[in-house]
């Protein structure tokens, strides 16, 4: 059962092809991260799925319906966190979350949501006075208040400090545990690795790779970089069989290998490699 | 109660909170008529309009109440909606399970409540400090009610339609305030209407404010004072026709041109 299905989506603005030919699907309860450089077509794709824009070609289905024509009942099952909102500045956090709960037939308890996003101390502050990270957490609160089945998160942690980012990840993991389907757009590869079941890399309006964070770009089969210390010198070797190499080293040293490190490409390195190859092709 | 009305009511409360908490909006749309009444009422304390002993302040009060209609509806919305389009408010709302009508119920409700509060404030200040005479007959208050309703509705719809004119939220007030000022100067708000050149009177007759001020004079001036009107009469029938046309026309135009997204976006 897919919560989101996208087939051969295409969107052109004037003579700029924003989305060329994008296909992917997100299973119910899954979290898919959409990665890609600015202008790659992430936001356009997301906004088509949110019903803000119409595709020129291809089909999009969210919860089985065409976002371009679906009604309010469908909307009540979605949560949307857009990029960089500055609205609602004259209201307090508490007023905002309570007001937005009123739009949904089966919302969460507003005060619990404020607690969940960690804004209890700021509940009576005007939204305009919130820091960047607090404001983002308010946006997330307003996105999840309606108990969404599908949640769209567009660069949700921009401007967060590391601690706030980890708290946010824990919150998203709770929502995943509740069975929420999540489409996450992000520039942070560690965020994608932590939260996403699969990542899709989009470049120049096309998906160039889509797999689990561990496997994408043949990451799990990539050559590993093994380094150690021998006779006071740092040595290293690239190998496709790092386990075998470490075993041999262990035999040679008769136990511990000094300063042993086995490094596989990180998601970030793999991602950059994918984009580089795409640029060359 | 239907969802549309329930959410509409919740939006009225939200809109009012934002209206009064935004200092610029509270000053520019809500307090301005009272401030102007205090200034004009003090400067022209001893002026009369040439009918019995009716003061200019009494004449000016009618113009300020009519202006208040324009401020709380047209000026308020024509400035606030471009801001909402720019700062993400409208985009957020379009993504919610909100019936579109609820948004407009919120706007209309806010305008009506703000206007009622404003009129009470104007009248209290007028009576306490400027010896303003209030009408006593129910007929006058009935005229006041229907003129206010038609005025608010027409200027609300025009304001919603005009909100597509400013390209950005930031410069909106510069594109709205001059329109209001020109209408005030030509419609008999700051000057006695019959003192204006005829071409100016004819120009003003095309827009609602002239008819609003005239109808408000019929409420706040003695009946005999209509001899100093251009036609020698309050022309309440024509007021109803003019405001009715603007209400229906404004509604149809607003329905046609209103957009949720900034220009260049869907």
């Amino acid at each position: 059962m897919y919560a989101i299905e996208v087939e051969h989506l295409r969107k052109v603005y004037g003579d700029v092809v924003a989305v060329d030919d994008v296909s992917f699907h997100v299973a119910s309860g899954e979290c898919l991260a959409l990665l890609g450089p600015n202008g790659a077509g992430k936001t356009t794709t997301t906004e088509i799925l949110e019903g803000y824009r119409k595709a020129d070609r291809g089909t999009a289905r969210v919860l089985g319906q065409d976002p371009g024509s679906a009604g309010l009942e469908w909307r009540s099952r979605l949560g949307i966190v857009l990029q960089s909102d500055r609205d609602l500045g004259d209201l307090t956090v508490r007023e905002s979350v309570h007001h937005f709960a009123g739009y949904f037939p089966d919302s969460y308890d507003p005060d619990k949501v404020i607690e969940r996003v960690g804004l209890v101390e700021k509940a009576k502050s005007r939204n305009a006075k919130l820091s960047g990270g607090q404001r983002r957490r308010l946006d997330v609160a307003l996105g999840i208040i309606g108990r969404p089945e599908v949640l769209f998160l567009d660069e949700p942690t921009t401007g967060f400090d590391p601690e706030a980012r980890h708290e946010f990840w824990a919150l998203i993991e709770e929502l995943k545990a509740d069975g929420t389907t999540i489409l996450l757009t992000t520039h942070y590869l560690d965020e994608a690795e932590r939260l996403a079941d699969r990542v899709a890399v989009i470049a120049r309006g096309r998906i160039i790779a889509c797999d689990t964070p561990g496997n994408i770009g043949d990451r799990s089969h990539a050559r590993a970089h093994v380094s150690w210390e021998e006779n006071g010198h740092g040595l290293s070797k690239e190998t496709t069989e790092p386990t075998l190499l470490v075993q041999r080293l262990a035999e040679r040293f008769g136990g511990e290998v000094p300063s042993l490190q086995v490094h596989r490409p990180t998601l970030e390195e793999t991602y950059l490699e994918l984009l580089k190859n795409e640029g060359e092709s | 109660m239907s969802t549309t009305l329930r959410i509409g009511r919740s939006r009225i409360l939200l809109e009012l909170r934002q209206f009064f908490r935004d200092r610029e909006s509270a000053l520019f749309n809500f307090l301005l008529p009272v401030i102007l009444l205090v200034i004009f009422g003090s400067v022209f304390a001893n002026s009369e309009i040439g009918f019995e002993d009716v003061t200019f302040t009494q004449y000016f009060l009618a113009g300020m109440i009519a202006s208040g209609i324009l401020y709380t509806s047209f000026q308020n919305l024509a400035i606030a909606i471009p801001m909402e389009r720019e700062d993400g408010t409208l985009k957020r709302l379009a993504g919610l399970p909100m019936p579109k009508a609820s948004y407009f119920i919120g706007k209309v409700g806010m305008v009506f409540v703000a206007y009622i509060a404003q009129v009470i404030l104007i009248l209290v200040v007028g009576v306490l400090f400027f010896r303003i005479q209030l009408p006593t007959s129910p007929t006058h208050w009935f005229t006041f009610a229907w003129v206010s309703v038609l005025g608010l509705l027409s200027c609300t719809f025009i304001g919603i339609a005009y909100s597509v004119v400013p390209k950005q939220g930031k410069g909106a007030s510069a594109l709205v305030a001059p329109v209001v000022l020109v209408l005030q100067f030509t419609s008999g708000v700051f000057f006695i209407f019959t003192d204006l050149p005829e071409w100016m009177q004819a120009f003003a007759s095309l827009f609602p404010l002239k008819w609003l001020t005239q109808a408000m004079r019929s409420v706040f001036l003695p009946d005999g004072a209509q001899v100093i009107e251009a036609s020698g009469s309050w022309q309440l029938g024509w007021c109803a026709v003019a405001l009715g046309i603007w209400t229906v026309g404004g509604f149809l135009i607003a329905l046609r041109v209103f957009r949720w997204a900034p220009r260049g976006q869907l």
Side-chain angles (χ1 to χ4, degrees):
Chain A
M1 177 46 191
Y2 294 128
I4 301 175
E5 295 166 86
V6 178
E7 302 281 349
H8 304 297
L9 212 60
R10 184 179 169 87
K11 177 78 187 176
V12 180
Y13 301 117
D15 47 9
V16 180
V17 182
V19 174
D20 190 0
D21 181 5
V22 164
S23 305
F24 64 88
H25 51 79
V26 187
S28 204
E30 190 186 21
C31 175
L32 178 79
L34 215 47
L35 308 177
N38 287 330
K42 299 189 300 282
T43 297
T44 301
T45 303
T46 314
E47 290 196 341
I48 291 171
L49 296 175
E50 291 162 342
Y52 284 122
R53 297 172 188 277
K54 283 208 185 340
D56 295 326
R57 236 188 287 155
T59 55
R61 290 278 178 281
V62 175
L63 295 167
Q65 300 199 48
D66 174 7
S69 60
L72 296 181
E73 189 275 333
W74 173 80
R75 285 227 166 270
S76 72
R77 299 161 70 195
L78 305 187
I80 298 177
V81 177
L82 295 165
Q83 269 183 51
S84 63
D85 286 316
R86 289 167 292 124
D87 57 337
L88 309 168
D90 291 316
L91 301 173
T92 68
V93 168
R94 194 165 181 282
E95 287 166 348
S96 313
V97 180
H98 276 262
H99 174 79
F100 278 78
Y103 291 105
F104 295 90
D106 182 30
S107 70
Y108 288 115
D109 176 347
D111 293 322
K112 293 227 172 82
V113 167
I114 293 171
E115 205 180 302
R116 253 176 128 171
V117 299
L119 284 177
V120 175
E121 271 122 69
K122 291 279 160 190
K124 288 181 181 159
S125 303
R126 295 275 171 96
N127 298 336
K129 298 251 163 78
L130 299 177
S131 72
Q134 289 164 344
R135 169 71 221 206
R136 231 37 211 127
R137 280 189 266 169
L138 171 68
D139 288 328
V140 171
L142 300 180
I144 65 174
I145 184 71
R147 210 184 287 269
E149 291 169 49
V150 174
L151 178 62
F152 295 96
L153 295 169
D154 202 351
E155 298 183 11
T157 60
T158 305
F160 279 34
D161 58 41
E163 195 190 351
R165 177 165 290 135
H166 277 89
E167 282 170 16
F168 175 80
W169 291 347
L171 168 67
I172 298 303
E173 277 165 349
E174 278 176 45
L175 293 171
K176 273 177 72 181
D178 293 348
T180 314
T181 306
I182 298 170
L183 184 66
L184 168 74
T185 312
T186 184
H187 282 302
Y188 300 108
L189 281 297
D190 51 345
E191 184 162 289
E193 186 145 34
R194 167 86 180 258
L195 296 178
D197 299 305
R198 284 184 307 138
V199 296
V201 178
I202 187 166
R204 292 189 287 184
R206 285 168 176 271
I207 304 268
I208 55 172
C210 183
D211 209 330
T212 61
N215 281 338
I216 195 152
D218 269 338
R219 203 177 149 200
S220 52
H221 297 103
R223 295 169 78 85
H225 181 89
V226 180
S227 63
W228 68 95
E229 209 180 290
E230 199 164 347
N231 302 330
H233 297 288
L235 296 178
S236 67
K237 199 172 175 188
E238 299 279 331
T239 173
T240 50
E241 295 172 316
T243 317
L244 197 65
L245 177 61
V246 172
Q247 199 183 358
R248 283 193 188 136
L249 285 170
E251 281 164 13
R252 197 152 89 211
F253 284 96
E256 281 301 307
V257 184
S259 305
L260 175 68
Q261 278 194 2
V262 181
H263 178 75
R264 296 235 191 227
T266 62
L267 182 56
E268 184 152 320
E269 288 162 346
T270 311
Y271 166 76
L272 292 173
E273 188 69 21
L274 278 166
L275 289 183
K276 203 174 119 208
N277 294 342
E278 170 67 16
E280 283 163 3
S281 70
Chain B
M1 193 166 54
S2 84
T3 311
T4 307
L5 288 179
R6 182 180 56 79
I7 294 179
R9 195 185 58 180
S10 150
R11 285 214 57 83
I12 294 174
L13 297 174
L14 194 82
E15 294 274 13
L16 281 167
R17 272 198 187 123
Q18 299 186 97
F19 177 84
F20 284 110
R21 282 183 191 171
D22 179 0
R23 272 185 297 174
E24 284 118 64
S25 138
L27 179 69
F28 202 40
N29 300 317
F30 186 76
L31 287 178
L32 193 55
V34 182
I35 295 170
L36 291 176
L37 179 70
V38 170
I39 294 173
F40 277 72
S42 306
V43 172
F44 300 101
N46 301 316
S47 303
E48 293 182 352
I49 62 168
F51 177 79
E52 295 175 355
D53 52 358
V54 177
T55 62
F56 178 75
T57 313
Q58 188 84 23
Y59 190 95
F60 187 70
L61 175 100
M64 273 305 102
I65 288 180
S67 297
I69 292 179
L70 207 59
Y71 289 139
T72 48
S73 57
F74 173 77
Q75 179 171 279
N76 172 15
L77 298 181
I79 294 173
I81 296 176
M83 303 267 218
E84 290 185 335
R85 203 175 281 122
E86 191 174 85
D87 72 12
T89 303
L90 295 190
K91 191 168 186 181
R92 185 193 292 284
L93 293 178
L96 286 172
M98 177 191 75
K100 299 275 192 278
S102 300
Y103 172 76
F104 298 104
I105 292 174
K107 290 293 184 205
V108 173
M110 162 188 60
V111 165
F112 271 76
V113 175
Y115 168 73
I116 291 167
Q118 185 179 58
V119 166
I120 293 173
L121 187 64
I122 292 174
L123 294 181
V124 166
V125 169
V127 168
L128 288 183
F129 302 104
F130 300 101
R131 287 174 290 124
I132 289 296
Q133 307 285 314
L134 293 186
T136 45
S137 89
T139 327
H140 284 127
W141 286 112
F142 176 72
T143 305
F144 173 78
W146 71 254
V147 170
S148 296
V149 169
L150 270 186
L152 289 170
L153 285 179
S154 56
C155 296
T156 295
F157 297 144
I158 303 165
I160 291 172
Y162 195 84
S163 77
V164 299
V165 174
K167 284 191 185 134
Q168 290 173 333
K170 224 160 83 187
S173 56
L175 280 169
V176 174
V179 174
V180 173
L181 262 182
V182 166
L183 287 181
Q184 285 178 310
F185 275 111
T186 56
S187 298
V189 170
F190 295 127
F191 308 116
I192 307 262
F193 188 65
T194 41
D195 290 350
L196 301 174
E198 275 186 33
W199 65 265
M200 209 181 270
Q201 296 184 15
F203 167 81
S205 304
L206 299 174
F207 302 99
L209 188 60
K210 180 258 181 191
W211 300 103
L212 286 172
T213 40
Q214 193 169 316
M216 286 302 172
R217 285 199 293 273
S218 87
V219 174
F220 291 97
L221 300 188
D223 279 339
Q226 57 188 307
V227 295
I228 65 160
E229 291 295 323
S231 66
S233 144
W234 299 126
Q235 294 180 304
L236 285 182
W238 284 113
C239 291
V241 170
L243 295 176
I245 291 173
W246 273 104
T247 302
V248 175
F251 180 76
L252 294 175
I253 296 171
L255 214 57
R256 214 181 148 74
V257 302
F258 183 79
R259 27 186 322 134
W260 293 87
R263 268 172 217 230
Q265 290 182 33
L266 197 99

